[in-house]
Amino acid sequence: MFDLIPFRKRNEDPFGHMLKSFNDMVETSFLSPLGTGSQPFRTDIREEEDRYSVEAELPGIAKEDIDIQVEGNELIIRAKRNEDYEEKDDSNRVIRRERRSGEFIRRFYVDHIDDENIKARLEDGVLKLEIPKRPGDDQPRRRILID
């Protein structure tokens, strides 16, 4: 985020410096309530013999603000955060008030799942999904050789 440059060189390109500053600003997401930059929230996905396990990091988000849906071949996780912080002095006057809000969506391609029996729970800021595979959809995988 910050570069340490001891002295500014005379032949430094001012346009290059401006472009670097702009790129630093764009790469750092000031609007991201989760503070994760370009990726809305981190997710781990594991495939097991009979199911998929998904863990999504959603610190500070209440379960009422999380929406999980299966639409066609997509698993969609939406997370919303609305923060309102107010600080007052001894005379009950507002000296600082900050608000942040945001909604993040992750979409995952899913196929051959039993969407009627998906289980979800939120523990310590981690959303855990157990997505069972549909029985009988185990098609043997075949490796294709390149000629």
Side-chain angles (χ1 to χ4, degrees), residues 19-109:
L19 184 61
K20 183 190 175 315
S21 296
F22 177 76
N23 286 336
D24 287 346
M25 182 183 70
V26 171
E27 289 172 4
T28 305
S29 177
F30 296 104
L31 302 176
S32 173
L34 299 177
T36 57
S38 64
Q39 188 175 1
F41 49 85
R42 298 184 190 277
T43 308
D44 296 331
I45 303 171
R46 286 185 304 282
E47 181 177 9
E48 298 173 21
E49 196 171 311
D50 60 340
R51 66 183 168 190
Y52 296 99
S53 296
V54 177
E55 292 185 358
E57 295 179 6
L58 300 169
I61 297 181
K63 69 178 183 177
E64 296 81 25
D65 294 330
I66 300 171
D67 181 43
I68 306 163
Q69 296 179 8
V70 176
E71 293 179 9
N73 288 340
E74 280 188 324
L75 171 71
I76 304 167
I77 302 173
R78 287 184 175 89
K80 289 189 269 184
R81 174 182 272 179
N82 293 313
E83 287 184 359
D84 193 6
Y85 176 76
E86 185 174 271
E87 188 175 323
K88 296 183 179 187
D89 64 5
D90 294 336
S91 302
N92 206 26
R93 292 180 300 184
V94 175
I95 57 172
R96 184 173 72 161
R97 181 177 177 113
E98 295 182 7
R99 292 168 291 288
R100 284 196 299 188
S101 65
E103 179 179 25
F104 297 100
I105 301 173
R106 293 289 308 263
R107 298 175 187 266
F108 303 96
Y109 176 80

